[in-house]
Amino acid sequence: MLDLLIALLSGATLRLWDQVGGGGGGDDWRTALSQSRATVVGLTPSAMSQLDPAVALPTCRLLMAGGEALPLAPQPTKPKPKPKPEPKPKPEPKPKPELKPKPKPKPKPEPKPKSKLYPGEALPLPLGRAWAAALRERCGGVLLNCYGPTEATIWATSRVISPTDDEVAIGAPLPGYACHIFDEARRPIAAAGQVGELYIGGVGVARGYLKRPELTAAAFVPDPRGSGSRLYQTGDLARWREDGTLVCLGRIDSQVKLQHEQAER
């Protein structure tokens, strides 16, 4: 929906993935993006890392890196492991005497979800620098690093990446949003450099999870400062910089991403 509205509200033409070669396999999508005449493109950092910034997207003026943290340099492709020899079949075990069934354990409470569009991967600095430099040199384009969980309607902060950046910042809150950092006791952290958990408030914060009142109460909390508003507890560690922008430092829990889905380990 976001992609549709960006194109329609600006009078642009929206090209679907199949229309630029996304329906094929192998290297079709890389070739298609290298020859694409698009001026505004949204990609995840993992997709960006598989393209050559000096060649791909020759007419792009705005590249939006979203859904994942932005890496700094393309990552080398690892060689495929050799197939392991098939194990020899084991003899069938002797049947064991029947045992009385053990009582089923009580189900554990569901962990609090920390959903994002494509979370779990940091935006490496070399990759951001390489794309920012290539876009600027080729057509004066810019690389925009976008951050935000699904519970805050995808994007809550953004920042233009520079070829000379010394770290990847996620920027300042977008209009209509507010970002807060609290310690473990939910006391505000306003000083630059101090690490805490990132909370998001504003017009984009969702009402909650459909038919999941317990999870909604755990993730969407009243503002600890007593403003009367609701905040989404992201589960991301962050700190303020001196210039008033944010740096995301990773998860506060052990959540990982498997094929764009969140899992607790």
Side-chain angles (χ1 to χ4, degrees):
M1 181 60 70
L2 178 65
D3 299 325
L4 291 172
L5 291 176
I6 289 176
L8 295 176
L9 294 176
S10 60
T13 299
L14 178 66
R15 299 197 66 187
L16 301 179
W17 185 238
D18 284 344
Q19 294 176 325
V20 294
D27 293 330
D28 287 355
W29 71 276
R30 296 186 186 88
T31 302
L33 284 178
S34 296
Q35 299 173 353
S36 172
R37 309 299 294 176
T39 55
V40 178
V41 179
L43 291 175
T44 59
S46 56
M48 291 166 57
S49 66
Q50 299 181 60
L51 298 170
D52 183 356
V55 178
L57 307 176
T59 58
C60 180
R61 297 197 300 267
L62 174 61
L63 174 57
M64 297 177 288
E68 305 169 354
L70 182 60
L72 286 186
Q75 305 298 315
T77 304
K78 295 182 179 179
K80 294 182 178 180
K82 295 180 180 180
K84 296 181 180 179
E86 295 185 5
K88 295 180 180 179
K90 295 181 180 180
E92 294 185 6
K94 295 180 181 180
K96 296 182 180 180
E98 293 185 3
L99 300 176
K100 292 183 179 181
K102 295 181 179 180
K104 294 182 179 180
K106 295 181 179 180
K108 296 181 180 180
E110 295 185 57
K112 176 184 171 183
K114 299 291 183 183
S115 308
K116 286 185 175 51
L117 185 59
Y118 295 112
E121 295 182 19
L123 175 59
L125 189 56
L127 181 62
R129 283 177 175 168
W131 273 99
L135 290 168
R136 176 184 293 183
E137 182 178 353
R138 189 162 55 230
C139 57
V142 297
L143 171 60
L144 188 64
N145 187 26
C146 304
Y147 164 86
T150 302
E151 289 85 346
T153 319
I154 312 303
W155 292 342
T157 71
S158 68
R159 181 179 181 272
V160 174
I161 300 296
S162 168
T164 59
D165 281 347
D166 56 1
E167 65 180 347
V168 176
I170 60 174
L174 296 172
Y177 282 91
C179 292
H180 311 278
I181 297 178
F182 296 122
D183 62 15
E184 293 181 354
R186 290 184 177 169
R187 292 173 298 201
I189 296 176
Q194 295 186 21
V195 178
E197 186 174 359
L198 180 60
Y199 290 66
I200 298 176
V203 294
V205 174
R207 296 180 181 179
Y209 304 108
L210 183 63
K211 297 181 181 179
R212 308 290 290 277
E214 297 83 4
L215 296 180
T216 296
F220 297 86
V221 299
D223 187 346
R225 303 168 306 163
S227 68
S229 62
R230 295 166 65 253
L231 303 177
Y232 172 65
Q233 186 177 353
T234 67
D236 288 332
L237 292 171
R239 62 174 171 83
W240 290 106
R241 304 202 311 174
E242 293 289 348
D243 62 359
T245 59
L246 289 159
V247 175
C248 186
L249 304 172
R251 296 293 303 172
I252 202 170
D253 52 23
S254 57
Q255 187 182 94
V256 295
K257 183 182 74 172
L258 298 173
Q259 295 181 345
H260 305 318
E261 297 293 336
Q262 291 77 45
E264 302 290 341
R265 60 181 177 181

